Amino acid sequence: MAVLLPDRSITAYVLDHPWERDAHGVPVPPAPGTRPPARGTWPGAATEQADGSWTLRVDPAAWRLRDGDVLTDGEREWTVVAALLKTVPGHPAADYIAVTATLNPPEVP
């Protein structure tokens, strides 16, 4: 098993969940540009993928992350598309949150 070491500190801005719902029961996210207070800063890593998306690995102390939450390393900012807590039985030091995200704003080729 390979362990990927953190290469940056990542701060999480977590939206209030569940979102309010409209008259049809559909979740309504907050207005664009609305940012909650930072939840905290933890070690992590980020890698750009060939398709332009990003994968991030974040310390499990940042759990629970959901789509729409924002992560930043102070230089770049990402919006979470999906997050999954990955645990390694018997080795909690190897646990991490696997995040798929989009860069804000997207890079223009």
Side-chain angles (χ1 to χ4, degrees):
M1 171 171 99
V3 175
L4 300 172
L5 299 175
D7 61 5
R8 66 193 74 215
S9 293
I10 296 178
T11 301
Y13 295 90
V14 179
L15 299 168
D16 289 332
H17 292 280
W19 291 338
E20 292 185 21
R21 295 183 177 267
D22 66 14
H24 304 288
V26 176
V28 178
T34 302
R35 177 175 280 181
R39 179 190 284 171
T41 301
W42 298 276
T47 306
E48 186 173 13
Q49 303 303 303
D51 66 358
S53 67
W54 286 75
T55 57
L56 290 86
R57 294 169 307 283
V58 184
D59 189 287
W63 188 250
R64 174 152 185 119
L65 297 174
R66 294 183 174 101
D67 60 322
D69 293 339
V70 174
L71 302 174
T72 183
D73 65 0
E75 189 175 317
R76 291 185 176 100
E77 183 176 280
W78 301 270
T79 298
V80 174
V81 174
L84 180 63
L85 181 61
K86 300 285 208 166
T87 59
V88 180
H91 302 281
D95 295 351
Y96 66 100
I97 304 170
V99 176
T100 303
T102 57
L103 187 63
N104 298 333
E107 293 177 335
V108 177

